[in-house]
Amino acid sequence: MTKKAMKYLSLLIFMLLPATIAWSQEDTIPTIKYSSNTRNAAMKLSTSLEKDSSDRKIALDYLVLAKELMKQGEYVKAELYLNNASKLYQKLNDKEQLAYVNRELAKVQEAQNKLRDAISNYSEAVKLSQNKQVQELNINDVKRLKNKSNLVVQATYIQRNIDILNADEDKEERAVAYQQMAEVNMKMNNQQAAISNLESALEDVKDKPVETIKVKREIATAYAADKKMEAAAASLLQSYELALKEGHTIEAKKSLEQLAAQYQKMNKPQKALDLYKDFMSQLEPMVKADSTLIDSRFFEVHEKRIAQLEKERVLKDELIRKQNKFNSFLLGSIVLILIFMAFILRAWYSIRRKNKKIALQSLRREMNPHFIFNSLNSVNQFIARNDELAANKYLSSYSRLMRNTLENSNKDFTPLATELEQLKEYLELEHMRFQDKFTYQIRIDESLDMEAILIPNMLIQPQLENAIWHGLRYKENSGLLTLTIRKKASSLSVVIEDNGIGLTKSRELKTKHQREHHSRGLTNTYERIHLLNSLYNCHITIDITEKTGNESGVIVTFHFPIQHKK
């Protein structure tokens, strides 16, 4: 075959090779695009969405699928899934994962030449991460992209990242950095340095067949630029053979195309033809055995399924948001109603308490007119007998008692000492009127701090009055009235004891008017005790007992909880 014929044959082979391979794919393989890893990632994501897994699980599945798509150069789709992962990590407030996703987004955008967006995401990753190394990597990438036109400055920042990654042993990131450095060196026409960079990258991806195949093709490109055609062809042949060995049909096809073009430049069409024949002989069994290939239509079905599930999830989230909003509104309304009710109850309680206090004051003041009228009658009796000295003495004691009574009439509780002083004044006055009817004794527990202990105001006096007016006054001979105050456990015991005619005989002697007054006096006392217990949450009791047997008279016992001045 002449040299000219060989040239034409070579041209024919290289013109027909891509079309023939494409025809072979259509005839033997469906449209081949995505690897089984991508398919599995898509299936995993759709399953997570369908099962309504946690946000963290779904975010991770988005990230895994995006990474697989990045490997295959599907940057637009990878960016979409990375954005979805970013939204979920924002919701979870996971700043470190969010920083990682932002860095991956920046890589994808850089691959699409969206430099402004890439710089923005690298910068955001710096803000989000607390890891110093991650911050430095992203800062260097921001500065690298901002100096896109200055290759020397770019190389400086890439080298800084390589130094960081060498210390960190992050092989995946380091391989990317070496490839970036190789690209810069190629633009600077430093092919030897680029080859060295790519060989370093090759060392980091040696356990990843697909990445190894791709790096070997890049090395071949660097060799070819350096006019080392044999070395370029050898690297491409290694890439091609590794793809055949690993069963990666698409990568084998790409390596074959690049190798055939290289043989064309080297004027070796026969080698290209032999390589092509070898590939075609292995194509069908390799396709059947290649588990890394998948029909793009199959992936599209999963993509549509994912999109549908995402819509359903968004709708569900919206429904949940609206439900939560309604629940919050309902809860807020309930809280407002409860607060309003609390205000109403508080106002009602305050009014009720004020009414009770008014009622208590009214009941206390109800006792005063009767005492005043009785006292005035006594003065009248002294005057009628022309006993001016007794009348003056009585009026003097009476005025002191009334002054003290009026001064304390607005108080519910008064010190025991004050109350006792008023009771002594009262007993002294009554004794002046009924000297021949009774004597009295007051017995006080000496351990009591009478200035500190508080007791209800004017609750004891009506019972002393009853003892005198309805018991002792009708006794034929002189009687005895005893007032005893002592401490008993945690309460104060006040006992009023008389040896008068007793309750039964007193009722027989009373007129209808006297009985009504006596009944009203007791009712007043009981009502006051009830109001005091209700207002101050205390437990005041009164017990009225008539003596039996040979003795006559009445015993009235009060129990007051001991209260001290604050």
Side-chain angles (χ1 to χ4, degrees):
M1 188 178 291
T2 64
K3 188 175 181 180
K4 188 175 182 180
M6 286 290 291
K7 185 177 180 181
Y8 281 120
L9 178 60
S10 174
L11 287 171
L12 181 63
I13 290 169
F14 291 116
M15 288 173 65
L16 293 175
L17 182 59
T20 308
I21 294 174
W23 172 82
S24 300
Q25 289 176 332
E26 290 171 7
D27 185 57
T28 315
I29 324 167
T31 308
I32 300 169
K33 194 171 184 181
Y34 299 105
S35 72
S36 60
N37 288 340
T38 311
R39 176 189 60 191
N40 292 337
M43 289 174 67
K44 197 172 180 182
L45 174 58
S46 63
T47 301
S48 294
L49 288 167
E50 194 169 6
K51 289 183 177 178
D52 196 23
S53 299
S54 67
D55 286 342
R56 189 171 295 280
K57 174 72 168 60
I58 293 171
L60 182 60
D61 289 343
Y62 273 130
L63 185 55
V64 170
L65 179 56
K67 293 279 284 183
E68 290 299 325
L69 289 167
M70 286 168 67
K71 290 176 185 176
Q72 296 175 204
E74 288 287 337
Y75 299 119
V76 175
K77 291 181 179 178
E79 186 175 0
L80 172 66
Y81 292 124
L82 284 170
N83 278 320
N84 289 345
S86 177
K87 289 173 186 174
L88 291 176
Y89 283 125
Q90 284 176 17
K91 185 179 175 183
L92 293 165
N93 197 30
D94 189 336
K95 292 185 178 180
E96 288 301 328
Q97 256 330 76
L98 197 54
Y100 178 79
V101 171
N102 275 60
R103 182 166 176 77
E104 295 303 309
L105 262 172
K107 291 178 187 176
V108 167
Q109 289 161 344
E110 185 180 348
Q112 298 174 78
N113 206 31
K114 297 179 179 178
L115 299 186
R116 184 176 294 177
D117 292 339
I119 289 170
S120 176
N121 276 302
Y122 280 131
S123 301
E124 191 64 23
V126 174
K127 296 175 187 175
L128 289 167
S129 180
Q130 297 298 312
N131 187 303
K132 295 295 182 185
Q133 290 182 339
V134 172
Q135 288 177 345
E136 288 176 20
L137 286 172
N138 286 294
I139 289 169
N140 290 333
D141 281 323
V142 168
K143 293 178 178 178
R144 172 178 61 82
L145 290 184
K146 285 183 176 180
N147 291 277
K148 197 70 176 175
S149 59
N150 191 328
L151 297 174
V152 175
V153 174
Q154 277 193 70
T156 301
Y157 290 119
I158 294 170
Q159 186 58 52
R160 287 182 186 178
N161 277 356
I162 290 171
D163 294 339
I164 293 169
L165 294 164
N166 278 331
D168 196 40
E169 284 298 314
D170 188 338
K171 292 184 178 181
E172 183 180 349
E173 283 273 12
R174 190 167 60 197
V176 172
Y178 275 127
Q179 286 173 292
Q180 289 173 346
M181 184 67 88
E183 184 183 353
V184 170
N185 281 322
M186 286 290 287
K187 289 177 181 178
M188 294 170 69
N189 294 318
N190 190 349
Q191 287 82 13
Q192 283 296 323
I195 291 166
S196 176
N197 298 146
L198 290 169
E199 285 175 347
S200 296
L202 189 63
E203 182 64 25
D204 284 333
V205 299
K206 62 184 178 181
D207 55 341
K208 298 177 181 179
V210 175
E211 284 78 358
T212 300
I213 293 164
K214 291 178 181 178
V215 173
K216 282 185 177 292
R217 285 204 296 266
E218 290 179 27
I219 291 172
T221 302
Y223 274 128
D226 200 30
K227 308 300 183 185
K228 295 180 179 179
M229 299 302 179
E230 292 294 337
S235 184
L236 285 169
L237 185 59
Q238 290 172 6
S239 173
Y240 169 68
E241 288 173 346
L242 180 59
L244 290 179
K245 179 183 175 184
E246 296 294 332
H248 294 293
T249 311
I250 300 304
E251 296 302 328
K253 170 185 172 288
K254 290 178 182 177
S255 297
L256 174 63
E257 289 173 342
Q258 195 171 335
L259 182 55
Q262 185 64 35
Y263 280 142
Q264 181 186 11
K265 292 176 185 176
M266 294 168 67
N267 198 22
K268 294 180 180 180
Q270 188 58 48
K271 279 194 172 185
L273 186 59
D274 292 342
L275 198 64
Y276 171 65
K277 287 178 180 178
D278 177 63
F279 178 72
M280 291 302 294
S281 67
Q282 298 186 62
L283 183 59
E284 187 173 351
M286 184 167 59
V287 168
K288 289 179 179 178
D290 191 353
S291 61
T292 65
L293 300 178
I294 179 172
D295 186 349
S296 65
R297 290 188 295 273
F298 182 83
F299 183 77
E300 286 169 9
V301 169
H302 273 284
E303 275 194 314
K304 288 177 181 177
R305 178 66 178 151
I306 288 169
Q308 180 62 32
L309 289 168
E310 283 175 341
K311 286 179 183 178
E312 291 175 6
R313 183 177 172 84
V314 168
L315 181 61
K316 183 180 177 182
D317 288 345
E318 181 64 18
L319 288 171
I320 291 171
R321 187 186 67 79
K322 287 182 178 179
Q323 182 65 39
N324 289 341
K325 189 176 180 181
F326 175 76
N327 289 343
S328 298
F329 173 77
L330 187 62
L331 183 62
S333 300
I334 292 170
V335 169
L336 287 173
I337 290 169
L338 289 174
I339 291 171
F340 182 66
M341 287 179 66
F343 275 119
I344 291 173
L345 286 171
R346 187 176 178 182
W348 174 81
Y349 178 76
S350 178
I351 292 168
R352 190 164 176 264
R353 186 177 176 85
K354 285 178 182 177
N355 287 340
K356 285 181 179 179
K357 280 184 168 288
I358 291 168
L360 195 59
Q361 287 181 2
S362 176
L363 289 168
R364 273 203 311 272
R365 288 167 183 170
E366 188 180 300
M367 301 303 296
N368 292 337
H370 174 71
F371 173 67
I372 291 168
F373 294 144
N374 284 344
S375 298
L376 291 175
N377 284 332
S378 297
V379 173
N380 188 46
Q381 288 176 17
F382 289 130
I383 293 170
R385 293 204 304 261
N386 291 319
D387 192 348
E388 185 179 343
L389 182 63
N392 288 333
K393 185 179 178 182
Y394 189 92
L395 280 172
S396 177
S397 296
Y398 172 73
S399 64
R400 285 198 305 273
L401 176 60
M402 289 308 300
R403 184 174 62 250
N404 289 336
T405 301
L406 291 172
E407 282 177 357
N408 295 288
S409 64
N410 62 335
K411 298 176 183 177
D412 293 334
F413 289 89
T414 187
L416 178 58
T418 303
E419 183 71 6
L420 192 60
E421 183 181 347
Q422 291 179 198
L423 294 175
K424 285 178 179 177
E425 288 279 1
Y426 171 74
L427 289 172
E428 184 62 31
L429 283 171
E430 294 293 58
H431 187 253
M432 285 175 67
R433 293 169 66 187
F434 305 110
Q435 288 183 19
D436 58 336
K437 291 296 181 182
F438 77 97
T439 58
Y440 68 89
Q441 293 178 353
I442 298 175
R443 300 168 183 170
I444 308 293
D445 188 339
E446 293 181 357
S447 65
L448 293 173
D449 185 350
M450 292 191 293
E451 290 294 339
I453 294 174
L454 298 176
I455 64 169
N457 188 18
M458 289 186 68
L459 199 63
I460 300 171
Q461 184 270 334
Q463 303 310 314
L464 292 173
E465 184 179 345
N466 284 340
I468 295 167
W469 280 77
H470 303 292
L472 295 168
R473 189 168 66 125
Y474 295 107
K475 194 174 174 66
E476 292 178 1
N477 52 359
S478 180
L480 177 65
L481 175 62
T482 305
L483 173 62
T484 306
I485 302 174
R486 65 178 182 273
K487 187 177 180 182
K488 189 175 182 181
S490 60
S491 65
L492 190 69
S493 173
V494 178
V495 180
I496 300 163
E497 183 177 352
D498 68 77
N499 58 356
I501 62 174
L503 294 173
T504 305
K505 196 169 182 180
S506 176
R507 289 193 196 101
E508 292 172 358
L509 294 173
K510 287 178 186 174
T511 65
K512 181 180 179 182
H513 172 72
Q514 287 174 324
R515 282 198 297 271
E516 286 176 356
H517 170 75
H518 181 60
S519 174
R520 181 59 197 148
L522 281 175
T523 303
N524 180 294
T525 300
Y526 286 126
E527 286 179 1
R528 286 178 64 198
I529 289 172
H530 172 72
L531 286 169
L532 286 166
N533 287 339
S534 176
L535 274 168
Y536 299 101
N537 195 28
C538 56
H539 186 61
I540 300 170
T541 62
I542 181 173
D543 180 57
I544 302 174
T545 307
E546 186 173 12
K547 293 179 181 179
T548 57
N550 295 327
E551 275 192 285
S552 63
V554 176
I555 300 174
V556 178
T557 306
F558 284 101
H559 283 99
F560 302 110
I562 293 180
Q563 298 184 66
H564 293 87
K565 283 184 180 179
K566 293 183 180 179

